[in-house]
Amino acid sequence: KLSPGGVVVSSIPNIRYFYALREVLIDRQWPYREYGIFDKTHLRFFTQESMVDLFDASGYDVTKMSGINGFESWKFSLLNMVLLNRIADMRFEQFVVTASPR
């Protein structure tokens, strides 16, 4: 429950993170770990779009979403440009999401 005017601030791992997907594709396993994206206590996994869907289904409007713990690479930037910015979210390990009740 939130106080009137309250907001939810969350940090959510991004399963579309480039290095996480690389591990799954190359190792062909889901590597549960003690921490990080593959933390063994995580019950669900999210992409940037499914984070918005989660809050929407719960009666919240996302007011801000920012990628954090990202990496910079000219090769990745070039690939993202060629793919018309379709993989921009893959450079962030997680997203900070702020949401308000509808």
Side-chain angles (χ1 to χ4, degrees), residues 4 25 32 34 100:
L25 294 172
Y32 285 104
E34 295 296 317
S100 300

Side-chain angles (χ1 to χ4, degrees), residues 6-99:
V7 297
V8 173
V9 179
S10 58
S11 174
I12 304 175
N14 176 22
I15 197 60
R16 272 181 47 100
Y17 181 53
F18 177 79
Y19 291 108
L21 287 179
R22 188 179 75 175
E23 275 191 80
V24 172
L25 294 172
I26 291 172
D27 296 343
R28 296 170 31 173
Q29 290 188 19
W30 195 270
Y32 285 104
R33 299 213 169 91
E34 295 296 317
Y35 59 89
I37 292 174
F38 297 110
D39 188 307
K40 64 184 179 181
T41 64
H42 290 169
L43 300 177
R44 292 180 58 186
F45 297 89
F46 296 93
T47 64
Q48 189 176 13
E49 288 80 14
S50 66
M51 291 174 204
V52 173
D53 293 343
L54 168 74
F55 283 99
D56 183 53
S58 301
Y60 289 80
D61 290 322
V62 171
T63 55
K64 185 174 182 184
M65 180 179 281
S66 302
I68 60 172
N69 298 326
F71 66 89
E72 294 294 328
S73 161
W74 70 267
K75 292 176 186 177
F76 183 86
S77 295
L78 180 60
L79 179 60
N80 187 44
M81 187 170 53
V82 168
L83 295 174
L84 305 174
N85 210 36
R86 299 274 304 158
I87 63 169
D89 64 312
M90 292 177 71
R91 64 185 194 97
F92 297 109
E93 188 173 0
Q94 57 201 112
F95 284 88
V96 173
V97 181
T98 304

